[in-house]
């Protein structure tokens, strides 16, 4: 059995993982990254807009924090938000010192521009390719420092001890599958594991996220016992291209682009969705308006609406929105100078994720999370554009430093079942969670006792024993999947769940639809017990890797739907047909889900609105 | 339950071996599994038929895809497989491959992730030239669409090639920002004129797809040649005024090595295939000029 050993293991090499690895190394740790994609292939590269940082006179971190709390619809935790806003200037300039090619003002300083929901133009950017520049700048630092990367290694599981309460468990490493060679190996982390696996857009069938964004880290941490937080809050972007999900920036509407339905009506005004703001209304309002048009039979091809910018004139379009012309031509085959672009809402960002404190630490000792997979929480129920990239670098750095044993302030945000919390209840039509202990192998989910997991009786419980057993479990799972030569293929299961999620758990959520999705997910879980991998090869078996990912998609689809069903209010990105108000008396609290070895448990933790020097008083959200 | 018995009876008459199985009185579990398997086989068959019908009836695209697997019987000898994929407007080569994989053959293997020309995973050899699958509209191609792995690279499986050599070349040019005078304060930025930023802009757009290297005759003949992408990377830093003159000199030394800029014979193949429209040949030429200038200076 191959075991690789380092002080700190970082899972994932997007913005968060790279920043974490650099920080851990600066603290003197021997750090390695394990990533299913080569670092420069990570989806951070797709971010266009920018990085919010209060850099200028007239701006302040306090204003940034205020905007963020307001944008979150008061479901973000003030200590995390204030950490984000106080550290963003320093971390952003750190990128500049590493050579990032920011756009510049005439005086040579980095440019900033306005962005939705911000009271000051504080979005620092590099053309329309901020994420690409950020990702490559950090990867350059990785090369410079000679940090080891195990690329094209898919992490399957975390090696965590199995004490009864997650708060007593320790993480000793991860189990990886070498995609190129087909080997299963252990990665022992002497000091800590940092999960930085990014988004989970593949839970839906239409998303701006990459194919690799299957939420693996969130699902692995969840199954290992870490609570996952606010999963129902999923941001949908109103203007994505129908055939691929490629994002068309808000900038098109900002410049004067107009939305039309099939009857060439300017529906934002004509049907009163946003009589004042029209196309410039917030993301969720526009997304719901578009879907209403389609549902009421006024969509084009019953699927999308049109975004027209031809009236702006070729000159202005080329000057301001040239990259949109290319995106539309290359990915949709439509020349927006000649015809309107088809657009529809698509999944864009997961506000929820692995519960961490403001140092990136989870309730399991030695286990950290940062980036889109984590929930500290800085976005609450809705993320402001330009706040995710700073989150990557700030919390990535903090997690890296902490895991490597560097000095950190004690966290104010409690994790796990510690501090204040209350039990929750939700009425589900079918039992959520693992189907039965028999699926332990197909799952590899560490139904810990059921499949020979680590118990005091079976091993000595030492870190290497915990890891070796985890490797053994995953090896058994791989063999089982490859040797089974009949059954159902993952693509069918995945696509059924994705479609159900897009139909029922999108920008419109109704009780009956949510329940239907839970039934569909249950069925998919049953089907997954019979899953098999047709490709017998040990070389670059993407059939196998995707089958493993699909298991994660199932757990997360269920978690999102459970949260959506439980939360009986309309807050931020979460809309419920039956509950059209934000209900602060009952719902200023985070939705928490614990896997509980296969029987998910719902509970709540109050949101922390108390900042360093002020309390963020919930204000009415106006549209 | 009754349909179950019906089915068993039917199968009795079909083949001996199945009849044997039935007389052994299958356990409830086995019976259930079998029923499920049958239902599934039906469903799969139906799905495949439907796909085939759609492919026949509508506009469909004919793909010829390179297949190879070093360890799977029947795939060790490279071959081409035909797929007929129903066409939808806006469909790219990558969409067609995904469709073929998810509908006809789950072992069809290719790298991909972003679907938007930013991750650089899916550079392929499509109808005889290097292109990103996700950025190539089927409607721009003649049929049958021939899809092969990048030439001049070792094939690992189907359309997946070994990228290690490309990465090594990229990393050999010290591809990271270096300067001798960084501002003291952690909030103090280095200044860069918008003109200088504009100058390096195109060079920073590289997504490491490897298309340029695969298209280059020189690289094909000289394995140690840095190649267009790595030289472009050196350009990106050498031209960045924030690094300073000393560093620029150091960078010119790197690209002037035996397998560096002077190998380029300005054939423009790299520039023609680059999906990010980076003027690679121009950048290489400019570095040559800079090198000559600085050699004269030191001479
Ligand atoms: C189109 C688009 C535009 C955006 N624009 C902006 C913007 O302008 N401003 C902003 O602030 N935010 C923006 N966002 C959001 C932001 O870009 C993302 O939230 C962020 O980049 C996620 O970074 P990450 O490091 O968490 O994950 P990623 O960059 O997705 O990286 C995840 C890493 O984890 C690895 N990984 C995943 N699973 C496994 C596994 N099982 N084993 C091993 N490795 C694994 C992957 O290989 C990858 O390296 C945008 C997002 C999208 C999709
Ligand atoms: S220079 Fe262009 S073709 Fe070459 S690797 Fe970079 S993006 Fe690809
Ligand atoms: S899939 Fe990312 S570049 Fe094509």
């Amino acid at each position: 059995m191959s075991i690789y050993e380092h002080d700190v293991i970082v899972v994932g090499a997007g913005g968060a993982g790279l920043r974490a690895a650099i920080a851990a190394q600066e603290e003197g740790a021997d750090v390695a990254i394990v990533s299913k994609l080569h670092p420069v292939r990570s989806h951070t590269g797709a971010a266009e807009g920018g990085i919010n940082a209060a850099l200028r006179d007239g701006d302040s971190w306090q204003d940034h924090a205020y905007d963020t709390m307001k944008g979150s619809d008061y479901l973000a935790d003030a200590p995390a938000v204030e950490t984000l806003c106080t550290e963003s200037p320093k971390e952003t300039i750190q990128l500049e010192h590493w050579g990032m090619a920011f756009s510049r003002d005439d005086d040579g300083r980095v440019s900033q521009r306005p962005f939705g929901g911000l009271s000051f133009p504080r979005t620092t950017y590099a053309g329309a390719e901020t994420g690409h520049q950020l990702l490559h700048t950090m990867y350059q630092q990785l090369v410079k420092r000679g940090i080891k990367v195990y690329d094209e290694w898919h992490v399957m599981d975390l090696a965590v001890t199995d004490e009864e309460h997650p708060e007593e468990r320790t993480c000793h490493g991860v189990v990886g599958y070498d995609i190129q060679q087909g080997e299963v190996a252990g990665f022992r982390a002497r000091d800590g594991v940092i999960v930085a696996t990014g988004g989970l857009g593949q839970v839906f069938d239409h998303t701006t996220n990459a194919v690799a964004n299957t939420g693996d880290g969130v699902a692995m941490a969840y199954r290992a016992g870490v609570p996952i937080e606010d999963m129902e809050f999923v941001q949908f972007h109103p203007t994505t291209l129908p055939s691929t999900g490629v994002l068309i920036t808000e900038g098109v509407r900002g410049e004067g682009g107009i939305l039309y339905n099939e009857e060439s009506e300017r529906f934002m005004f004509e049907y009163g969705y946003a009589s004042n703001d029209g196309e410039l209304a917030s993301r969720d309002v526009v997304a719901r308006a578009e879907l209403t048009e389609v549902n009421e039979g006024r969509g084009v091809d019953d699927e999308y609406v049109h975004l027209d910018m031809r009236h702006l004139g070729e000159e202005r379009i080329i000057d301001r929105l040239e990259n949109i012309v290319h995106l539309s031509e290359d990915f949709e085959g439509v020349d927006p100078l000649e015809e309107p672009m088809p657009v529809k809402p698509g999944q864009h960002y997961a506000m929820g994720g692995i519960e961490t404190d403001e140092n990136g630490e989870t309730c399991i000792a030695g286990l950290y999370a940062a980036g889109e997979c984590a929930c500290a929480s800085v976005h609450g129920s809705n993320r402001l554009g330009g706040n995710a990239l700073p989150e990557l670098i700030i919390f990535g750095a903090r997690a890296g430093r902490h895991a490597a044993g560097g000095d950190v302030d004690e966290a104010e945000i409690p994790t796990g079942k510690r501090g204040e919390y209350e039990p929750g209840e939700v009425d589900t039509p079918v039992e959520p969670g693992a189907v039965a202990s028999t699926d332990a192998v197909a799952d590899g989910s560490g139904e810990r006792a059921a499949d020979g997991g680590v118990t005091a009786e079976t091993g000595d419980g030492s870190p290497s024993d915990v890891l070796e057993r985890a490797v053994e479990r995953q090896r058994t799972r791989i063999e089982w999947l490859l040797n089974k030569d009949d059954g159902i293929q993952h693509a069918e299961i995945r696509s059924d769940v994705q479609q159900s999620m897009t139909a029922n758990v999108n920008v419109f959520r109704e009780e009956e639809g949510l329940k239907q999705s839970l039934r569909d997910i249950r069925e998919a879980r049953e089907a997954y017990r019979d899953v098999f991998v047709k490709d017998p090869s040990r070389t670059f078996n993407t059939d196998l890797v995707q089958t493993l990912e699909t298991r994660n998609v199932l757990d997360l689809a269920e978690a999102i739907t459970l949260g959506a069903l439980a939360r009986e209010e309309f807050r931020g990105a979460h809309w419920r047909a039956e509950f059209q108000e934000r209900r602060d008396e009952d719902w200023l609290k985070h939705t928490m889900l614990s896997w509980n070895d296969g029987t998910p448990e719902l509970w709540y933790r109050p949101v922390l609105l108390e900042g360093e020097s002020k309390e963020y008083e919930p204000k009415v959200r106006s549209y | 339950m009754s349909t179950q018995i019906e089915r068993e009876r039917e199968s009795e008459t079909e083949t001996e071996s199945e009849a044997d199985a039935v007389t052994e009185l299958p356990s409830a579990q086995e019976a259930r599994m079998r029923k499920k398997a049958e239902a599934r086989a039906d469903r799969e068959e139906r799905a495949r038929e439907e796909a085939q019908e759609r492919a026949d009836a509508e506009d469909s695209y004919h793909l010829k895809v390179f297949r190879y697997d070093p360890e799977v019987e029947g795939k060790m000898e490279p071959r081409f497989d035909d797929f007929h994929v129903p066409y939808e407007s806006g469909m790219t080569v990558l969409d067609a491959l995904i469709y073929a994989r998810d509908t006809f053959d789950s072992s069809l293997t290719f790298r991909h992730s972003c679907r938007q020309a930013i991750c650089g995973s899916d550079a392929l050899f499509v109808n005889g030239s290097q292109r990103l699958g996700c950025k190539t509209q089927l409607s721009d191609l003649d049929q049958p669409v021939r899809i092969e792995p990048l030439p001049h690279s070792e094939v690992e499986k189907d359309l997946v090639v070994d990228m290690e050599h490309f990465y090594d070349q990229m990393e050999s040019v010290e591809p990271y920002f270096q300067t001798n005078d960084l501002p003291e304060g952690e909030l103090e930025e280095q200044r860069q004129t918008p003109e200088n930023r504009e100058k390096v802009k195109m060079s920073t757009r590289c997504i490491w797809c490897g298309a340029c290297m695969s298209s280059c005759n020189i690289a094909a003949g000289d394995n140690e040649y840095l190649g267009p992408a790595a030289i472009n990377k050196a350009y990106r830093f050498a031209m960045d005024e924030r690094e300073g003159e000393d560093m620029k000199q150091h960078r010119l030394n790197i690209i002037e090595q035996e397998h560096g800029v002077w190998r380029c014979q300005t054939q423009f193949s790299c520039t023609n295939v680059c999906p990010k429209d980076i003027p690679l040949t121009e950048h290489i030429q400019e570095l040559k000029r800079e090198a000559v200038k600085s050699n004269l200076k030191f001479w």
Side-chain angles (χ1 to χ4, degrees), chain A residues 11-17 34-37 42-44 46-50 115 153-155 196-199 208-209 212-213 216 220 247 348-349 370-373 383 386-390 392, chain B residues 116:
Chain A
V11 183
V34 187
S35 177
K36 67 180 176 185
L37 303 174
S42 305
H43 206 51
T44 291
E48 297 174 3
F115 232 51
W153 276 82
H154 176 94
V155 172
T197 51
T208 63
N209 283 196
N213 288 4
D216 302 345
M220 287 189 286
L247 186 148
H348 184 46
Y349 185 86
E372 189 170 337
C373 68
R383 175 181 72 95
N387 260 357
L389 295 179
L392 307 182
Chain B
Q116 49 186 283

Side-chain angles (χ1 to χ4, degrees), chain B residues 94 112-122 132 134 207:
Chain B
L94 177 63
H112 65 298
S113 186
C114 71
R115 302 166 305 155
Q116 49 186 283
I118 197 68
C119 76
S121 302
D122 63 339
L132 292 181
C134 63
I207 55 172

